[in-house]
Amino acid sequence: MNLEFKEITPDNIAEMMPYYTMRKNRTCDSVFLESFIWKEFYHVRYAVWEDRALLWLMEEKGTYFSAMPLCREEDLPEAFKAIESYFNKVLGCPLTIHLADEYAVEYLKLPEENYVVQEQADARDYLYLGEALRKLPGKKLHKKKNRLNAFLREYEGRYEYRRLCCSDKDDVWKFLDRWRIQKGEDVEEHLDYEVRGIHDILRNCSDLAIRMGGIYIDDKLEAFSVGSFNPVENMAVIHIEKADPEILGLYQAINQMFLIHEFPDAEWVNREDDLGIEGLRRAKMSYQPADFARKYLVAQKTEVK
């Protein structure tokens, strides 16, 4: 199996990008930035197979796994077999795929005698209608609108939404330093990798197809968000959203203003998963998701000899 797996770097963005728009996929993994942010945490590497697909190789605690190939729908069965063959013949282990998107799982129709296919409930992405998050209509979102209005009243004349660019990286770094200190020592490991991923974004933002925005209060950055766009689904993906939790209504403000200014026409908004964290689940459910992008574990049953 002649596959050359490479690390994700700014130099190979152009090689990877075309594969992200080849088929339907409503998950947050449907855009390049998600792979870029978590490339260190999961030791993400990729290979181009026959100029038809991106194949993935990842590792956590000494265990190899993959993601669903990025390719045209009609190439999916052969691309799947290519990564399976690599796992079996080169790595000497059964294929395991995490976070397989629902479209791919349904298209492949993998036989249950050969594969375990199981939904990963804690990994499902929350999907919202763009207009609902931009306007916060109706009774169900009334509390969100009240918090937003409280912020607008309290900080009238003192706040400003700004589109962020590479030259604003120092402001974001200073904010992240304050935010990380607030979190203290007892924090999930992935958050430190997320901060490192954000630093990497800011160092390379001129090469990345991303949108960034922030809210300044008294000329100091107090909230920011980073997103990217999936044109196949007309969907904004919100990768990063951080704000000073002590400022009432600030999270509601950055949530709404970022979409209004950076994704005014996005039909759908993907706000990623809740990692199985109860507080995060409550926060995401409180915005009344319209749907979920479900993801699956795909595990080969066959023993590799």
Side-chain angles (χ1 to χ4, degrees), residues 155 157-160 162 215-222:
Y155 294 95
R158 296 173 56 195
Y159 80 88
E160 179 188 9
R162 298 181 194 171
I215 294 177
Y216 286 75
I217 299 174
D218 298 331
D219 209 34
K220 178 182 176 184
L221 183 66
E222 297 288 5

Side-chain angles (χ1 to χ4, degrees), residues 203-270:
R203 282 191 292 267
N204 299 284
C205 64
S206 59
D207 298 315
L208 301 170
I210 60 172
R211 307 179 196 186
M212 300 188 293
I215 294 177
Y216 286 75
I217 299 174
D218 298 331
D219 209 34
K220 178 182 176 184
L221 183 66
E222 297 288 5
F224 81 99
S225 193
V226 180
S228 47
F229 187 65
N230 175 335
V232 176
E233 305 286 354
N234 190 14
M235 181 178 75
V237 181
I238 310 302
H239 304 280
I240 307 291
E241 183 183 86
K242 301 199 182 299
D244 184 337
E246 302 299 318
I247 300 176
L248 179 66
L250 183 55
Y251 264 108
Q252 286 74 30
I254 188 62
N255 185 320
Q256 184 198 52
M257 292 180 191
F258 186 57
L259 291 175
I260 288 173
H261 289 276
E262 312 307 330
F263 300 100
D265 301 314
E267 181 181 2
W268 290 96
V269 178
N270 181 318

Side-chain angles (χ1 to χ4, degrees), residues 15-196:
E15 180 181 47
M16 299 177 69
M17 285 297 289
Y19 295 94
Y20 281 86
T21 54
M22 286 186 168
R23 65 176 176 84
K24 295 178 71 175
N25 183 347
R26 296 200 299 171
T27 72
C28 61
D29 304 296
S30 65
V31 290
F32 172 78
L33 198 62
E34 191 69 11
S35 306
F36 189 78
I37 291 172
W38 297 105
K39 63 187 184 302
E40 287 188 37
F41 188 72
Y42 293 114
H43 306 285
V44 181
R45 284 162 282 169
Y46 79 96
V48 175
W49 172 73
E50 294 188 354
D51 293 327
R52 294 162 63 192
L54 277 191
L55 305 183
W56 301 101
L57 182 61
M58 305 174 197
E59 184 182 352
E60 187 176 20
K61 297 178 181 176
T63 300
Y64 289 110
F65 60 97
S66 188
M68 195 58 77
L70 294 181
C71 58
R72 295 182 304 168
E73 196 173 63
E74 57 266 35
D75 289 329
L76 193 53
E78 288 184 64
F80 180 87
K81 286 299 179 185
I83 189 60
E84 182 178 72
S85 178
Y86 184 85
F87 268 66
N88 294 171
K89 296 178 180 178
V90 178
L91 299 180
C93 60
L95 173 65
T96 298
I97 288 179
H98 288 294
L99 309 182
D101 63 282
E102 192 168 16
Y103 288 130
V105 168
E106 289 180 353
Y107 187 83
L108 286 171
K109 292 183 170 58
L110 297 167
E112 62 181 28
E113 62 267 24
N114 296 332
Y115 301 92
V116 172
V117 179
Q118 180 179 319
E119 184 178 354
Q120 296 174 292
D122 289 343
R124 65 182 184 174
D125 290 344
Y126 289 73
L127 301 177
Y128 307 84
L129 292 171
E131 276 301 275
L133 293 189
R134 287 187 288 265
K135 294 182 177 178
L136 300 176
K139 288 184 178 179
K140 290 184 177 180
L141 293 170
H142 188 62
K143 286 185 179 179
K144 301 294 183 186
K145 200 158 195 175
N146 281 347
R147 283 177 172 261
L148 172 63
N149 288 335
F151 169 81
L152 298 178
R153 286 193 304 269
E154 177 70 21
Y155 294 95
E156 183 178 5
R158 296 173 56 195
Y159 80 88
E160 179 188 9
Y161 175 87
R162 298 181 194 171
R163 180 172 292 170
L164 301 177
C165 57
C166 299
S167 61
D168 298 306
K169 62 181 180 293
D170 287 343
D171 288 350
V172 179
W173 283 336
K174 288 174 185 175
F175 172 89
L176 283 172
D177 287 344
R178 299 196 313 270
W179 177 84
R180 184 62 186 83
I181 289 169
Q182 277 184 320
K183 287 289 182 181
E185 293 301 318
D186 187 22
V187 71
E188 297 93 340
E189 180 189 16
H190 79 275
L191 288 179
D192 281 332
Y193 277 93
E194 181 187 51
V195 169
R196 285 158 64 176

Side-chain angles (χ1 to χ4, degrees), residues 282-295:
R282 287 197 301 269
K284 290 179 185 287
M285 287 300 296
S286 71
Y287 271 99
Q288 305 300 317
D291 204 351
F292 298 94
R294 291 175 170 82
K295 306 176 198 176

